[in-house]
Structure formats: C-alpha cells, structure tokens
Amino acid sequence: MAVVHAGSEARWPRPSEIDWLTAAEVVREGFRRSRVVMMNEAVNGLQRCVRTRRTGTSILPVAWASGARLLAVESLGPPGGEPPNAEVLRQPEMAELLATARRLGFRLSGYDADRATIPIKWRTKTKSPAFGNWRNARQATNLATLYSELPAQARMLVWAPNRHHAKVRFMQYRPTGWQFQTTSNVDPFVIDQTATVSYVDRRYGSPILDWAAGELRRRHGEAGFIWREGMPRLSPGCDAWILSLDNRLE
C-alpha cells in the first residue's frame, strides 16, 4: 500500500491503495497477532446497528478456527451474574450471535461490572466520568481474570459496545480496552465497526464513507483493513476497521 507523506505527517492514500480485507480475514490476522481480539457493535440504548452483530456472527467460525474458546460479551452482565437488560439478549440478531457461539463450542461469559457493588457515591451519578472509569476498571479486571483462566494458547474474543474497547485514554475517560491492557499486560487486537455508523442524522454525510464508498460497493457493501505505520487511524486506540454501507441504528 502506498502512503504519501508530507513532511512528518501521513496523508490518507487513495481507497484503491488500501489492502482491503473481509471481516473474517481481519479477525484471522487479529488472532495471529494477539491472543485477545476485541470487536464492537454499535448501540444506543435499545437501538443497534444490526449489521455489526451479523458481521460478528459471521466471523465466529474463523475465531474458533483461530483458537478462540471464550466469547466475553458485555451485555451478558457480570461473570456468573444476571444480564442488566434481558431485552437486548432477545433481539433476534443478538440471540443468533450467542446461539451460533454456543453451537460452535464457545464458552460464553459476561464481563460487566456488578451493579450491586457500585460505590454509594456514584449510584446517582452513572453518567459521570468517575462512574464510567470505575465500571470500565471492573470490566477490565473481569476480562483479565477470564483471560487468566484460559488454557495455554487458547484465545479470547471480546464483544464490546461502541468504543469501550479502545486502547487509549480520552482526557479523563479510561476505556475498558485501555484498562485491560494496563491490568493484564496483554496488547489486544482491537477492531472498530462503528467508524461509518450514523448515531445521529448526518447533515453533511460522512467523510469516511465518502472516501470508501466506491470500494465498499465493489465488495458487496462491507470491507475492512488493518492499520499500518504512517497511516492515520479512523478511530484512536484501534488496530483495524470494518466499514459498511449499512450503518443504520434501528
């Protein structure tokens, strides 16, 4: 892939110069680089981008063939506990994702914080950065524990909402991915499916989608790529992206 440099800054190459991959190929390479792959879905309350979950279902056989034996899903709640919102698990494409994982032989576990253990001072401030960082820290600790329980060489696939899995801090915000990396000393391979998702109505469209649309149309509406040195990142703290023409929340 050719990347044009202007001084010390990288500039986006033409879409035709990108090494485009299928979602399955991205996941396969992710597990080649790390024993932990984190992939996300786009959600906003009970709204979700169905496409992101269907892509998740489609890559499960590749994850299994790559050695993944545990699927950790935030929506399942704390390990061994009750899911915080059973309605999410009843949504057809989420039910299909979980059923496919079970059929393949994955162990399934939640990794969210246990709401019963929320410190009293934050129980009325669940939208605050302090609560978010506490919750993310508990999630990271739970993931580190799940990882430590894996048999030697077995791998873990983490299914996260939005960009909770990012590996960088955002000012005061410390995402689960960053805290997991700090806690476990494991560098997960992080895949972002949300770069083209429309969380709100876009008045002027999406620059990323405008850039990639032609190549996506040539690849049945969805394709991904992996970051390389000298190339800007579509979202911070991520190693790869899955872009799509189907970006609705419903």
Side-chain angles (χ1 to χ4, degrees):
M1 179 186 69
V3 178
V4 179
H5 292 267
S8 60
E9 295 184 359
R11 179 167 62 84
W12 276 106
R14 293 187 297 272
S16 60
E17 296 174 315
I18 293 288
D19 294 329
W20 293 101
L21 303 170
T22 66
E25 289 170 335
V26 172
V27 169
R28 184 181 295 112
E29 178 62 19
F31 278 119
R32 192 187 70 80
R33 300 186 186 193
S34 177
R35 287 180 63 198
V36 179
V37 168
M38 296 184 169
M39 193 168 178
N40 62 349
E41 59 176 334
V43 296
N44 183 14
L46 290 177
Q47 286 189 306
R48 73 282 190 200
C49 179
V50 171
R51 180 267 304 173
T52 58
R53 290 180 179 171
R54 288 178 175 164
T55 297
T57 301
S58 74
I59 60 87
L60 288 175
V62 170
W64 179 265
S66 298
R69 294 297 180 264
L70 171 64
L71 175 61
V73 181
E74 182 179 312
S75 297
L76 288 174
E82 294 296 321
N85 192 336
E87 188 172 349
V88 170
L89 304 183
R90 289 193 293 267
Q91 292 174 333
E93 69 289 340
M94 175 60 88
E96 181 184 6
L97 187 152
L98 298 176
T100 300
R102 292 188 181 99
R103 187 164 60 249
L104 287 168
F106 280 91
R107 172 193 170 193
L108 269 63
S109 176
Y111 65 89
D112 201 0
D114 185 345
R115 295 302 180 104
T117 66
I118 298 174
I120 293 175
K121 61 182 177 179
W122 291 329
R123 290 183 182 179
T124 60
K125 300 177 181 179
T126 56
K127 301 296 184 182
S128 69
F131 170 79
N133 289 336
W134 171 84
R135 182 184 181 188
N136 293 344
R138 294 306 308 155
Q139 290 183 357
T141 298
N142 289 337
L143 285 172
T145 299
L146 290 169
Y147 175 78
S148 71
E149 294 170 353
L150 289 174
Q153 304 308 312
R155 285 157 167 73
M156 177 169 71
L157 177 63
V158 178
W159 190 253
N162 302 322
R163 293 183 185 162
H164 292 192
H165 63 344
K167 294 189 290 187
V168 295
R169 295 175 58 172
F170 303 96
M171 300 179 70
Q172 295 182 4
Y173 181 60
R174 301 173 181 178
T176 300
W178 180 83
Q179 299 212 49
F180 170 77
Q181 183 173 243
T182 302
T183 300
S184 66
N185 291 318
V186 174
D187 182 11
F189 187 88
V190 173
I191 304 169
D192 180 19
Q193 292 203 85
T194 68
T196 54
V197 171
S198 303
Y199 285 94
V200 296
D201 290 336
R202 288 193 175 109
R203 189 172 182 180
Y204 301 107
S206 163
I208 295 172
L209 197 53
D210 291 343
W211 170 75
E215 293 296 327
L216 295 178
R217 281 192 288 269
R218 280 187 280 275
R219 291 168 171 79
H220 309 290
E222 179 182 276
F225 65 92
I226 297 170
W227 179 83
R228 290 187 177 184
E229 191 67 38
M231 182 180 183
R233 296 179 190 265
L234 292 184
S235 48
C238 299
D239 300 298
W241 297 266
I242 306 296
L243 310 181
S244 177
L245 297 176
D246 181 0
N247 299 296
R248 298 165 296 162
L249 288 179
E250 55 187 79

Short mmCIF file of all heavy atoms in Angstrom, two decimals, residues 43-78:
data_model
loop_
_atom_site.label_atom_id
_atom_site.label_comp_id
_atom_site.label_asym_id
_atom_site.label_seq_id
_atom_site.Cartn_x
_atom_site.Cartn_y
_atom_site.Cartn_z
N VAL A 43 -24.38 0.55 19.34
CA VAL A 43 -25.64 0.56 20.06
C VAL A 43 -25.89 1.95 20.64
O VAL A 43 -24.97 2.72 20.89
CB VAL A 43 -25.65 -0.48 21.21
CG1 VAL A 43 -25.55 -1.89 20.66
CG2 VAL A 43 -24.52 -0.22 22.20
N ASN A 44 -27.16 2.23 20.87
CA ASN A 44 -27.58 3.46 21.55
C ASN A 44 -28.86 3.12 22.30
O ASN A 44 -29.93 3.15 21.74
CB ASN A 44 -27.81 4.59 20.54
CG ASN A 44 -28.18 5.89 21.24
OD1 ASN A 44 -28.01 6.03 22.45
ND2 ASN A 44 -28.71 6.84 20.48
N GLY A 45 -28.70 2.73 23.58
CA GLY A 45 -29.83 2.22 24.32
C GLY A 45 -30.27 0.90 23.70
O GLY A 45 -29.47 -0.01 23.49
N LEU A 46 -31.56 0.79 23.37
CA LEU A 46 -32.06 -0.42 22.72
C LEU A 46 -31.92 -0.37 21.20
O LEU A 46 -32.18 -1.37 20.52
CB LEU A 46 -33.53 -0.66 23.09
CG LEU A 46 -33.79 -1.08 24.54
CD1 LEU A 46 -35.28 -1.20 24.80
CD2 LEU A 46 -33.07 -2.39 24.87
N GLN A 47 -31.52 0.77 20.68
CA GLN A 47 -31.23 0.84 19.25
C GLN A 47 -29.88 0.19 18.98
O GLN A 47 -28.97 0.25 19.81
CB GLN A 47 -31.19 2.29 18.78
CG GLN A 47 -32.54 2.97 18.67
CD GLN A 47 -32.41 4.31 17.99
OE1 GLN A 47 -31.62 5.16 18.41
NE2 GLN A 47 -33.18 4.51 16.95
N ARG A 48 -29.76 -0.42 17.82
CA ARG A 48 -28.49 -1.05 17.47
C ARG A 48 -28.35 -1.08 15.95
O ARG A 48 -29.34 -1.02 15.22
CB ARG A 48 -28.37 -2.46 18.04
CG ARG A 48 -29.24 -3.51 17.33
CD ARG A 48 -30.68 -3.47 17.72
NE ARG A 48 -31.42 -4.63 17.22
CZ ARG A 48 -32.75 -4.66 17.10
NH1 ARG A 48 -33.48 -3.61 17.40
NH2 ARG A 48 -33.33 -5.77 16.66
N CYS A 49 -27.10 -1.18 15.50
CA CYS A 49 -26.83 -1.40 14.09
C CYS A 49 -26.79 -2.91 13.89
O CYS A 49 -25.83 -3.58 14.29
CB CYS A 49 -25.50 -0.76 13.68
SG CYS A 49 -25.08 -1.01 11.95
N VAL A 50 -27.84 -3.44 13.30
CA VAL A 50 -27.97 -4.89 13.14
C VAL A 50 -26.79 -5.46 12.37
O VAL A 50 -26.29 -6.55 12.67
CB VAL A 50 -29.31 -5.22 12.44
CG1 VAL A 50 -29.38 -6.69 12.06
CG2 VAL A 50 -30.48 -4.85 13.36
N ARG A 51 -26.33 -4.72 11.39
CA ARG A 51 -25.20 -5.19 10.57
C ARG A 51 -23.99 -5.55 11.42
O ARG A 51 -23.32 -6.56 11.17
CB ARG A 51 -24.83 -4.11 9.55
CG ARG A 51 -23.69 -4.46 8.62
CD ARG A 51 -22.33 -3.96 9.12
NE ARG A 51 -22.32 -2.55 9.38
CZ ARG A 51 -21.28 -1.93 9.94
NH1 ARG A 51 -20.21 -2.61 10.32
NH2 ARG A 51 -21.32 -0.62 10.16
N THR A 52 -23.68 -4.76 12.44
CA THR A 52 -22.48 -5.05 13.24
C THR A 52 -22.60 -6.40 13.94
O THR A 52 -21.62 -7.12 14.08
CB THR A 52 -22.20 -3.94 14.25
OG1 THR A 52 -23.34 -3.75 15.13
CG2 THR A 52 -21.90 -2.62 13.55
N ARG A 53 -23.80 -6.74 14.39
CA ARG A 53 -24.00 -8.04 15.05
C ARG A 53 -23.96 -9.18 14.04
O ARG A 53 -23.42 -10.25 14.32
CB ARG A 53 -25.32 -8.04 15.81
CG ARG A 53 -25.30 -7.14 17.04
CD ARG A 53 -26.62 -7.18 17.77
NE ARG A 53 -26.58 -6.33 18.96
CZ ARG A 53 -27.66 -6.05 19.69
NH1 ARG A 53 -28.84 -6.54 19.35
NH2 ARG A 53 -27.55 -5.27 20.76
N ARG A 54 -24.54 -8.97 12.88
CA ARG A 54 -24.50 -10.02 11.86
C ARG A 54 -23.07 -10.29 11.41
O ARG A 54 -22.70 -11.45 11.16
CB ARG A 54 -25.39 -9.63 10.69
CG ARG A 54 -26.87 -9.71 11.03
CD ARG A 54 -27.75 -9.27 9.88
NE ARG A 54 -29.16 -9.47 10.22
CZ ARG A 54 -30.17 -8.90 9.55
NH1 ARG A 54 -29.91 -8.10 8.52
NH2 ARG A 54 -31.42 -9.12 9.92
N THR A 55 -22.28 -9.25 11.31
CA THR A 55 -20.86 -9.45 10.98
C THR A 55 -20.18 -10.22 12.10
O THR A 55 -19.37 -11.11 11.85
CB THR A 55 -20.17 -8.10 10.75
OG1 THR A 55 -20.76 -7.46 9.61
CG2 THR A 55 -18.68 -8.29 10.50
N GLY A 56 -20.52 -9.91 13.35
CA GLY A 56 -19.97 -10.65 14.47
C GLY A 56 -20.30 -12.13 14.39
O GLY A 56 -19.44 -12.99 14.64
N THR A 57 -21.52 -12.44 14.05
CA THR A 57 -21.92 -13.84 13.90
C THR A 57 -21.12 -14.51 12.78
O THR A 57 -20.66 -15.66 12.91
CB THR A 57 -23.42 -13.95 13.61
OG1 THR A 57 -24.15 -13.36 14.70
CG2 THR A 57 -23.85 -15.39 13.44
N SER A 58 -20.91 -13.78 11.69
CA SER A 58 -20.25 -14.38 10.52
C SER A 58 -18.79 -14.72 10.78
O SER A 58 -18.24 -15.63 10.14
CB SER A 58 -20.35 -13.43 9.31
OG SER A 58 -19.48 -12.31 9.45
N ILE A 59 -18.14 -14.01 11.72
CA ILE A 59 -16.71 -14.25 11.95
C ILE A 59 -16.46 -15.29 13.03
O ILE A 59 -15.31 -15.69 13.26
CB ILE A 59 -15.94 -12.95 12.29
CG1 ILE A 59 -16.49 -12.26 13.56
CG2 ILE A 59 -16.01 -11.99 11.11
CD1 ILE A 59 -15.92 -12.74 14.87
N LEU A 60 -17.51 -15.76 13.70
CA LEU A 60 -17.31 -16.72 14.79
C LEU A 60 -16.61 -18.01 14.35
O LEU A 60 -15.72 -18.51 15.07
CB LEU A 60 -18.64 -17.02 15.48
CG LEU A 60 -19.21 -15.90 16.34
CD1 LEU A 60 -20.59 -16.28 16.86
CD2 LEU A 60 -18.28 -15.55 17.49
N PRO A 61 -16.95 -18.60 13.20
CA PRO A 61 -16.22 -19.81 12.80
C PRO A 61 -14.72 -19.57 12.61
O PRO A 61 -13.90 -20.43 12.94
CB PRO A 61 -16.89 -20.21 11.48
CG PRO A 61 -18.27 -19.64 11.58
CD PRO A 61 -18.10 -18.34 12.31
N VAL A 62 -14.36 -18.40 12.08
CA VAL A 62 -12.94 -18.07 11.91
C VAL A 62 -12.27 -17.88 13.26
O VAL A 62 -11.13 -18.32 13.47
CB VAL A 62 -12.79 -16.80 11.04
CG1 VAL A 62 -11.35 -16.30 11.05
CG2 VAL A 62 -13.24 -17.09 9.61
N ALA A 63 -12.97 -17.22 14.19
CA ALA A 63 -12.41 -17.05 15.53
C ALA A 63 -12.16 -18.41 16.18
O ALA A 63 -11.12 -18.64 16.81
CB ALA A 63 -13.34 -16.20 16.38
N TRP A 64 -13.13 -19.31 16.04
CA TRP A 64 -12.97 -20.66 16.60
C TRP A 64 -11.79 -21.38 15.97
O TRP A 64 -10.96 -21.98 16.67
CB TRP A 64 -14.26 -21.45 16.41
CG TRP A 64 -14.17 -22.85 16.94
CD1 TRP A 64 -13.86 -23.98 16.25
CD2 TRP A 64 -14.38 -23.26 18.30
NE1 TRP A 64 -13.86 -25.08 17.08
CE2 TRP A 64 -14.18 -24.66 18.34
CE3 TRP A 64 -14.72 -22.58 19.47
CZ2 TRP A 64 -14.31 -25.39 19.52
CZ3 TRP A 64 -14.85 -23.31 20.64
CH2 TRP A 64 -14.64 -24.69 20.66
N ALA A 65 -11.70 -21.31 14.64
CA ALA A 65 -10.60 -21.98 13.94
C ALA A 65 -9.25 -21.37 14.31
O ALA A 65 -8.22 -22.05 14.23
CB ALA A 65 -10.81 -21.89 12.43
N SER A 66 -9.25 -20.12 14.76
CA SER A 66 -8.02 -19.43 15.15
C SER A 66 -7.63 -19.73 16.59
O SER A 66 -6.60 -19.25 17.07
CB SER A 66 -8.17 -17.92 14.97
OG SER A 66 -8.41 -17.59 13.61
N GLY A 67 -8.45 -20.50 17.30
CA GLY A 67 -8.11 -20.88 18.66
C GLY A 67 -8.92 -20.20 19.74
O GLY A 67 -8.68 -20.43 20.93
N ALA A 68 -9.87 -19.34 19.38
CA ALA A 68 -10.70 -18.68 20.39
C ALA A 68 -11.65 -19.70 21.00
O ALA A 68 -12.32 -20.44 20.27
CB ALA A 68 -11.48 -17.53 19.78
N ARG A 69 -11.70 -19.73 22.31
CA ARG A 69 -12.58 -20.67 23.00
C ARG A 69 -13.52 -19.97 23.97
O ARG A 69 -14.43 -20.60 24.52
CB ARG A 69 -11.73 -21.71 23.77
CG ARG A 69 -10.93 -22.61 22.83
CD ARG A 69 -11.85 -23.44 21.96
NE ARG A 69 -11.15 -24.33 21.02
CZ ARG A 69 -10.89 -24.02 19.75
NH1 ARG A 69 -11.27 -22.84 19.26
NH2 ARG A 69 -10.28 -24.88 18.97
N LEU A 70 -13.31 -18.69 24.18
CA LEU A 70 -14.15 -17.91 25.09
C LEU A 70 -14.66 -16.69 24.35
O LEU A 70 -13.89 -15.97 23.71
CB LEU A 70 -13.35 -17.48 26.32
CG LEU A 70 -14.02 -16.48 27.27
CD1 LEU A 70 -15.27 -17.08 27.89
CD2 LEU A 70 -13.05 -16.03 28.35
N LEU A 71 -15.97 -16.45 24.43
CA LEU A 71 -16.58 -15.23 23.92
C LEU A 71 -17.09 -14.45 25.13
O LEU A 71 -18.00 -14.90 25.83
CB LEU A 71 -17.73 -15.55 22.97
CG LEU A 71 -18.54 -14.34 22.46
CD1 LEU A 71 -17.66 -13.37 21.68
CD2 LEU A 71 -19.73 -14.80 21.62
N ALA A 72 -16.48 -13.29 25.38
CA ALA A 72 -16.87 -12.45 26.50
C ALA A 72 -17.74 -11.32 25.96
O ALA A 72 -17.32 -10.56 25.08
CB ALA A 72 -15.63 -11.88 27.19
N VAL A 73 -18.95 -11.21 26.50
CA VAL A 73 -19.96 -10.27 25.98
C VAL A 73 -20.42 -9.36 27.11
O VAL A 73 -20.98 -9.85 28.11
CB VAL A 73 -21.16 -11.04 25.38
CG1 VAL A 73 -22.20 -10.07 24.82
CG2 VAL A 73 -20.70 -12.02 24.31
N GLU A 74 -20.23 -8.06 26.94
CA GLU A 74 -20.62 -7.13 28.00
C GLU A 74 -22.11 -7.24 28.32
O GLU A 74 -22.51 -7.17 29.49
CB GLU A 74 -20.29 -5.70 27.59
CG GLU A 74 -20.64 -4.68 28.67
CD GLU A 74 -20.30 -3.25 28.29
OE1 GLU A 74 -19.17 -3.02 27.81
OE2 GLU A 74 -21.17 -2.37 28.48
N SER A 75 -22.95 -7.41 27.31
CA SER A 75 -24.40 -7.44 27.52
C SER A 75 -24.87 -8.60 28.37
O SER A 75 -26.02 -8.60 28.83
CB SER A 75 -25.11 -7.48 26.16
OG SER A 75 -24.85 -6.32 25.41
N LEU A 76 -24.02 -9.62 28.56
CA LEU A 76 -24.40 -10.75 29.42
C LEU A 76 -24.30 -10.42 30.90
O LEU A 76 -24.68 -11.24 31.74
CB LEU A 76 -23.53 -11.97 29.10
CG LEU A 76 -23.80 -12.65 27.76
CD1 LEU A 76 -22.78 -13.76 27.49
CD2 LEU A 76 -25.22 -13.21 27.70
N GLY A 77 -23.78 -9.23 31.23
CA GLY A 77 -23.70 -8.82 32.62
C GLY A 77 -22.40 -9.25 33.27
O GLY A 77 -21.42 -9.59 32.60
N PRO A 78 -22.34 -9.26 34.60
CA PRO A 78 -21.12 -9.68 35.29
C PRO A 78 -20.91 -11.18 35.16
O PRO A 78 -21.87 -11.93 34.92
CB PRO A 78 -21.38 -9.28 36.75
CG PRO A 78 -22.88 -9.26 36.87
CD PRO A 78 -23.40 -8.83 35.53
#
